[in-house]
Amino acid sequence: MSDATLHETAQDPDDFAVQIADQVESFLVAVMEVAKGDEPDSAVPFLLLEVSQLLLAGGRLGAHEDIVPDERYEPDTGPDADVDELRENLARLLEPIDVYSEVFDPYEPRKAPVPARISDDLTDVITDLRHGMAHYRAGRTSEALWWWQFSYFSNWGSTASATLRALQSIVAHVRLNQPLEELDGLDTDQAMGDETLEIEAGRVMVEEIAGPLGLHQPK
């Protein structure tokens, strides 16, 4: 199935596979557009919306019965597309708020927060989604749905959820006129616990990021 036939009118718009593919495609296109940096003022609100919509597709996949592909072994989709440029563009665009802290599994007791990057998360999610889209465009619908469901449970679902929480936190801090805690010096090659995070945290007033990111404080 080529790009030209992805949305052809012969397809049933109520079909589960078509709806999931449409939501995946919409997310892929939207993040690529944001990464161009043409409208930096709306980057964070737009990403908040797109990640939220993607997780709706993920929730539908998660609630669906186990999807079994037609073939026993996954067909080769070729090498994954390089995402380094996309990651770098997103990192530059989100530089003031790219790094955040996250707990990977809320059901693991006493698990310390670890640093993560929104730019890394988004490109990680995109890599998973593109892999499934390659199957879908090749006409392997069951393989695409299986991959999107499997990778939702194993990777992109939790990654997108963490990203959504970070983006929602940014918007909430700005709209509620609350200062943000900057994890000054925190980076993703460090493993830091609560105490270290507290020591590293500095104060950054909301107005320092609200303007460049298109988020306006309430008057």
Side-chain angles (χ1 to χ4, degrees):
M1 183 176 294
S2 66
D3 291 338
T5 60
L6 181 58
H7 302 291
E8 67 176 329
T9 56
Q11 291 182 286
D12 183 357
D14 294 326
D15 185 77
F16 179 76
V18 173
Q19 293 175 357
I20 297 298
D22 281 346
Q23 288 180 287
V24 168
E25 179 75 2
S26 176
F27 178 81
L28 294 174
V29 171
V31 176
M32 295 296 292
E33 287 298 314
V34 170
K36 291 178 181 178
D38 294 337
E39 298 183 24
D41 290 351
S42 60
V44 169
F46 197 56
L47 288 173
L48 175 67
L49 176 62
E50 292 301 323
V51 176
S52 298
Q53 292 177 333
L54 176 66
L55 283 170
L56 172 60
R60 296 182 66 193
L61 287 164
H64 199 282
E65 62 184 7
D66 287 349
I67 299 168
V68 180
D70 294 332
E71 301 182 37
R72 182 176 179 182
Y73 299 103
E74 182 185 4
D76 185 14
T77 61
D80 291 331
D82 182 64
V83 293
D84 286 344
E85 183 178 359
L86 174 63
R87 179 184 291 107
E88 292 168 2
N89 289 343
L90 286 169
R92 282 193 294 269
L93 184 64
L94 300 171
E95 193 275 332
I97 42 83
D98 194 23
V99 178
Y100 68 99
S101 61
E102 171 64 7
V103 176
F104 282 132
D105 190 338
Y107 285 98
E108 287 191 36
R110 297 176 297 279
K111 199 71 173 180
V114 295
R117 286 183 178 272
I118 296 175
S119 56
D120 287 343
D121 289 351
L122 289 173
T123 49
D124 194 20
V125 170
I126 282 176
T127 298
D128 275 347
L129 298 180
R130 281 178 171 173
H131 187 87
M133 187 58 74
H135 286 306
Y136 187 80
R137 287 173 173 157
R140 298 186 291 267
T141 301
S142 65
E143 193 75 42
L145 289 175
W146 170 81
W147 172 260
W148 284 327
Q149 185 186 61
F150 167 75
S151 56
Y152 169 76
F153 288 128
S154 63
N155 184 48
W156 75 259
S158 58
T159 302
S161 297
T163 306
L164 180 65
R165 293 203 311 171
L167 293 168
Q168 190 273 340
S169 178
I170 297 164
V171 174
H173 275 286
V174 172
R175 297 290 169 82
L176 298 176
N177 195 21
Q178 296 175 344
L180 278 171
E181 296 279 346
E182 182 184 36
L183 302 180
D184 188 21
L186 179 66
D187 206 342
T188 51
D189 60 356
Q190 299 168 322
M192 297 187 175
D194 292 329
E195 182 178 352
T196 308
L197 290 175
E198 182 177 354
I199 294 174
E200 293 291 337
R203 303 298 290 178
V204 172
M205 298 305 294
V206 170
E207 55 265 25
E208 293 184 16
I209 69 165
L213 296 179
L215 303 173
H216 305 290
Q217 304 176 65
K219 296 181 180 180

